[in-house]
Amino acid sequence: MDNKDDILVKIRGMSFGYAGRQIFDNVDLDIRRGQITAIMGPSGTGKTTLLRLIGGQLKPTAGTIEVDGLNVPTLSHRELYKLRKRMGMLFQSGALLSDLNVYENVAFPLREHTDLPEPMLRDLVLMKLNAVGLRGARGLMPSELSGGMARRVALARAIALDPTMIMYDEPFTGQDPISMGVLVKLIDDLNKALGISSIIVSHDVAETASIADYVYLVSGGKVVEHGTPDTLGHSGSEWTRQFLDGLPDGPVPFHYPASDYREDLLSGGES
Amino acid sequence: MYSKVTELWVGIFVAAAVAALFMLAMQVSNLSLAGSDEGYTVTARFDDVAGLNVRAPVRLAGVRIGRITSIEVDSTRFQAVVKMHIQSPYDNLPEDTTAAILTEGLLGAKYIGLDPGGSLENLGEGSEIIITQSSISLEKLIGQLFVNLTGGSD
Amino acid sequence: MTDFIRSLGRRFLNSIQRLGRGNLFLMQILRGLPSMVLRPRLVVQQIYAVGVMSLTIIIVSAAFTGMVLGLQLFNTLQGFGAEQSIGSVTALTLVRELGPVLTAIFFAGLAGTSLTAEIGLMKATEQLSGMEMMAVDPVHRVVAPRFAAAWVSVPLLALIFSAVAILGGYFVSVGLLGLDTSVYWGQMQAYVDWGDDVVNGIIKSIVFGFVCAWIAVYEGFDATPTSEGVSRATIRTVVHSSLSVLALDFIMTSLMFGD
């Protein structure tokens, strides 16, 4: 299982900065085929940015991002779009097209990229919708869906073209326990049943750790630690402990960097 | 959502625009008269064409039969040379037709009025109308009137 | 003082940069236009959304513009005993200036803003990003059909505007004020030239349509993806479109009609 082809996404020495802010600094990261890889870290550490970098929507300032042997930042427009047909992405908001109903949303990538006859297209769409349990909701408009349902429709749409990998951007954020459970099960099922490699970006530790095969902890633009959920659970690092157990203070201070509290109060607003 | 109704409305929209274009062409502009590329051009010299514009009508007995295509100055004779296009049905105007610059109403737009003569020869492409009468300048008329009146009282 | 000059410089550089981005964006759109021939449905759908939906307001405002013109001109021209020229003056003003200009400005305020808001909100709700990740180029799929539809709609609406306004003028001057029908139309035909006036007016509205469409979709696509950003973008659409239309109108008028 350790041969080179086993790695689907290979990131080496990747740095990325935006508007004078360094977001990633020399990051190395591997995503293995057929596995669920979780990328976890505090909010604002650019986890979503990482997905956009893999998807080629952003270009790194240094380093390589190889997906299936292709270096994403150097691909031409055409090659990039060809590669993207094999990637699915689940946005935090679902990103459903608001002027199309559920059925048409799932049919959208199929209509754009294939010339399937209508009956076959219909079967495919209903299969995908059935997989996420929303076959009955096909006539609803996106505005009529709850957040969890919207994400499931988006998931059905993401698997419409049978991609090799799916990237999940914060799939569990803001979900009630039931829809969270549904999503956890769906992601796990899709991975096991269809062999789709999955990347989950999240800070919901428990849910993510329950299905992930491998976890990267990212903070301050660097990979802090990586390993299977089990090994990380027994990590000696203070930072890892603080993050996984959700402690309010620790290596990550409670306070945003500021000048001395006493001086600040006494300065009387002359800053 | 895409439907037959959408198509129908877009069809109505385009049809309305075409109808508008047709109206602008036939009813509003001179395109209906411009089938009159057939016809001929004659010139006439005037001492004064003040107030006359290109595209002003050329009338015969009050009926529009053509239009002015250009107004230039003949720099040797210091006269205005007016070219006018006359439509083909009216190609039997006698050679000694006279042209006068007239006004619609007292202060209206200027136009050229043709007055046919009695010659047996007809005007054709490039012919010149010899006998012309310039614009009647209201200012000059009034000026002369004053001169006459004051002269008379002496 | 230096602050002022520096902010002036920054603004200047910003606007140059925006102009550059706008031009690159336009190139992208234009590259997407040929594929619209293969998918006319996308354009038809958008012509419905921007063109047909503007039809009512264009027709109503055209009718009133024509009637007001008729009324004002009749009263003014009557003072010179020249009320016969009402037909030609009405038609010339409409065909050369008011038709193309008013239509473009109405269009920018009505359909342009809705395009900007729509595209801006699609951006804010990650719909455009989502499309990109589905390997569908949003500039080709979302922007190009809207641009094409808006560009086509403006000249069509301008034609309808001029025709309806001329009928409105007819209604007032002939129907209400008792001018002779044949004088109204006859004067018009005598002074309105197909090539110089009507065709030039159409050329104007094609240019205005292009500019309004470009500004509307660019502002939407370039909007900061927040509700405030989108609302600012719609304001910019109206302001920039209207000013561009007026400035271009002046330039084109002096080129076309300045003998």
Side-chain angles (χ1 to χ4, degrees), chain A residues 52 55 57 77 81 84-85 87 89 91-93 95-99 108-109 112-113 157 167, chain C residues 28 39 42 46 118 122 125-138 140-141 146:
Chain A
R52 288 186 189 275
Q57 286 187 322
H77 190 262
Y81 272 74
R84 279 183 187 159
K85 287 184 199 172
M87 296 180 179
M89 175 138 171
F91 285 84
Q92 200 171 340
S93 61
L96 295 177
L97 301 171
S98 47
D99 56 338
F108 182 81
E112 290 293 318
H113 295 304
R157 188 178 65 175
M167 298 185 273
Chain C
Q28 266 179 292
R39 308 184 66 181
L42 290 179
Q46 291 306 320
E118 191 188 9
M122 284 180 90
T125 53
E126 293 183 312
Q127 292 185 48
L128 298 184
S129 260
M131 250 184 221
E132 245 177 57
M133 288 308 298
M134 283 187 276
V136 176
D137 190 334
H140 290 186
R141 178 61 174 73
R146 283 169 175 75

Side-chain angles (χ1 to χ4, degrees), chain C residues 86-145:
Chain C
I86 193 168
S88 55
V89 179
T90 310
L92 282 180
T93 340
L94 283 166
V95 169
R96 285 175 167 191
E97 298 290 342
L98 291 186
V101 172
L102 287 184
T103 307
I105 290 177
F106 279 133
F107 186 85
L110 208 75
T113 49
S114 92
L115 283 181
T116 305
E118 191 188 9
I119 296 176
L121 282 174
M122 284 180 90
K123 186 182 182 186
T125 53
E126 293 183 312
Q127 292 185 48
L128 298 184
S129 260
M131 250 184 221
E132 245 177 57
M133 288 308 298
M134 283 187 276
V136 176
D137 190 334
V139 175
H140 290 186
R141 178 61 174 73
V142 173
V143 177

Side-chain angles (χ1 to χ4, degrees), chain A residues 55-57 59 70-85 113, chain C residues 24-25 27-29 31-32 35 128 131-141 221:
Chain A
Q57 286 187 322
K59 282 195 195 311
L70 301 167
N71 188 13
V72 176
T74 59
L75 290 182
S76 71
H77 190 262
R78 184 184 297 264
E79 291 168 323
L80 181 62
Y81 272 74
K82 209 174 140 199
L83 177 64
R84 279 183 187 159
K85 287 184 199 172
H113 295 304
Chain C
L24 287 177
F25 185 62
M27 292 301 138
Q28 266 179 292
I29 299 174
R31 265 201 298 272
S35 64
L128 298 184
M131 250 184 221
E132 245 177 57
M133 288 308 298
M134 283 187 276
V136 176
D137 190 334
V139 175
H140 290 186
R141 178 61 174 73
F221 204 78

Side-chain angles (χ1 to χ4, degrees), chain C:
Chain C
M1 191 61 197
T2 31
D3 273 1
F4 173 72
I5 292 174
R6 215 178 39 217
S7 86
L8 202 69
R10 195 179 53 231
R11 280 187 186 197
F12 179 71
L13 288 177
N14 275 347
S15 45
I16 295 282
Q17 206 182 10
R18 273 177 61 81
L19 201 65
R21 264 184 297 160
N23 275 308
L24 287 177
F25 185 62
L26 181 64
M27 292 301 138
Q28 266 179 292
I29 299 174
L30 294 182
R31 265 201 298 272
L33 281 188
S35 64
M36 290 301 104
V37 180
L38 298 175
R39 308 184 66 181
R41 284 188 157 212
L42 290 179
V43 184
V44 169
Q45 172 77 54
Q46 291 306 320
I47 292 181
Y48 179 77
V50 296
V52 176
M53 289 306 169
S54 318
L55 209 49
T56 328
I57 183 101
I58 288 288
I59 289 176
V60 172
S61 45
F64 279 104
T65 308
M67 291 188 328
V68 168
L69 264 181
L71 209 58
Q72 287 285 6
L73 286 174
F74 192 88
N75 290 334
T76 316
L77 292 172
Q78 204 174 29
F80 303 104
E83 68 269 19
Q84 310 99 310
S85 357
I86 193 168
S88 55
V89 179
T90 310
L92 282 180
T93 340
L94 283 166
V95 169
R96 285 175 167 191
E97 298 290 342
L98 291 186
V101 172
L102 287 184
T103 307
I105 290 177
F106 279 133
F107 186 85
L110 208 75
T113 49
S114 92
L115 283 181
T116 305
E118 191 188 9
I119 296 176
L121 282 174
M122 284 180 90
K123 186 182 182 186
T125 53
E126 293 183 312
Q127 292 185 48
L128 298 184
S129 260
M131 250 184 221
E132 245 177 57
M133 288 308 298
M134 283 187 276
V136 176
D137 190 334
V139 175
H140 290 186
R141 178 61 174 73
V142 173
V143 177
R146 283 169 175 75
F147 175 83
W151 187 13
V152 170
S153 295
V154 172
L156 297 184
L157 288 170
L159 284 172
I160 295 173
F161 187 99
S162 296
V164 171
I166 287 170
L167 290 175
Y170 175 84
F171 171 72
V172 167
S173 47
V174 176
L176 297 183
L177 303 171
L179 192 77
D180 188 62
T181 307
S182 63
V183 171
Y184 187 80
W185 296 118
Q187 277 286 321
M188 223 177 256
Q189 287 173 5
Y191 286 97
V192 180
D193 187 69
W194 167 254
D196 283 354
D197 300 321
V198 180
V199 172
N200 274 342
I202 295 173
I203 292 173
K204 271 188 180 181
S205 62
I206 291 173
V207 173
F208 296 161
F210 184 86
V211 171
C212 288
W214 177 22
I215 291 176
V217 294
Y218 175 66
E219 291 296 354
F221 204 78
D222 198 51
T224 315
T226 59
S227 41
E228 197 200 356
V230 173
S231 97
R232 280 184 181 204
T234 44
I235 295 173
R236 273 203 303 270
T237 296
V238 179
V239 174
H240 290 183
S241 304
S242 310
L243 292 181
S244 312
V245 164
L246 292 172
L248 279 171
D249 182 55
F250 178 74
I251 294 169
M252 282 196 286
T253 300
S254 54
L255 288 179
M256 289 170 170
F257 305 111
D259 282 321

Side-chain angles (χ1 to χ4, degrees), chain A residues 182-197:
Chain A
V182 170
L183 282 165
V184 169
K185 183 179 171 302
L186 269 176
I187 294 172
D188 200 32
D189 284 356
L190 286 174
N191 173 254
K192 300 281 182 304
L194 304 175
I196 301 176
S197 318

Side-chain angles (χ1 to χ4, degrees), chain B residues 111-146:
Chain B
Y111 67 96
I112 289 189
L114 298 182
D115 199 5
S119 170
L120 293 175
E121 298 286 314
N122 288 340
L123 286 173
E125 176 67 36
S127 341
E128 185 176 341
I129 295 175
I130 309 293
I131 310 165
T132 63
Q133 188 195 343
S134 293
S135 299
I136 298 165
S137 161
L138 216 57
E139 303 95 288
K140 279 187 191 166
L141 268 183
I142 294 168
Q144 276 172 358
L145 190 67
F146 272 110

